[in-house]
Amino acid sequence: MENPRASFKGHTVETPWTRTQLIYFSSYATWNNATAPFNFLVPGIEINQFESWNENGEILDRLEVIYPDGFATHSKRQIFYFNQDGLLKRHDYWPEVLGGSSATQIIEEYQEFEGIKTGTKRNIYVLNDEDNSYNKDFVLVSINIKEVKFEK
């Protein structure tokens, strides 16, 4: 398939996917989850700082990231939340392949691998755009990372 993204045109959350669409989504989602915030250095990315956000008593710095056309990711516009130690704690996005529905990824249980800290527990929830909240009782996707290796 030459342009897998185009195959999602008109999709909603309920639209069934083909095997190729599932592979495409899983591939770009995994790559983006593993490389953010390092992928912010890709040429053409625009970064804007937002007001801080209080997440259950923890003050988080927010960055709006605008990805360039053709960059395979959930949505052109995404918001990333970092704690005072510079660790990514939350990631909001609007998956275009699901008709632009709202989602947030909560990143927890940081571990160090070869000198780099990464969250090993990642749960994705439906994001309420009206008040920026999410319901932890309904997990859309759960990712548990057991090991990370970096190649030079």
Side-chain angles (χ1 to χ4, degrees), residues 52-67:
S52 296
W53 177 256
N54 185 330
E55 182 88 10
N56 302 318
E58 182 177 25
I59 304 303
L60 302 176
D61 293 325
R62 295 190 299 168
L63 294 178
E64 175 191 52
V65 177
I66 309 293
Y67 288 94

Side-chain angles (χ1 to χ4, degrees), residues 13-28:
V13 174
E14 294 84 18
T15 306
W17 289 358
T18 66
R19 182 175 173 84
T20 302
Q21 289 171 323
L22 178 61
I23 292 168
Y24 170 75
F25 173 83
S26 299
S27 297
Y28 84 68

Side-chain angles (χ1 to χ4, degrees), residues 25-61:
F25 173 83
S26 299
S27 297
Y28 84 68
T30 300
W31 185 84
N32 280 283
N33 288 341
T35 62
F38 304 108
N39 67 19
F40 297 178
L41 299 174
V42 170
I45 288 182
E46 177 186 334
I47 300 174
N48 303 301
Q49 188 164 3
F50 278 12
E51 290 182 22
S52 296
W53 177 256
N54 185 330
E55 182 88 10
N56 302 318
E58 182 177 25
I59 304 303
L60 302 176
D61 293 325

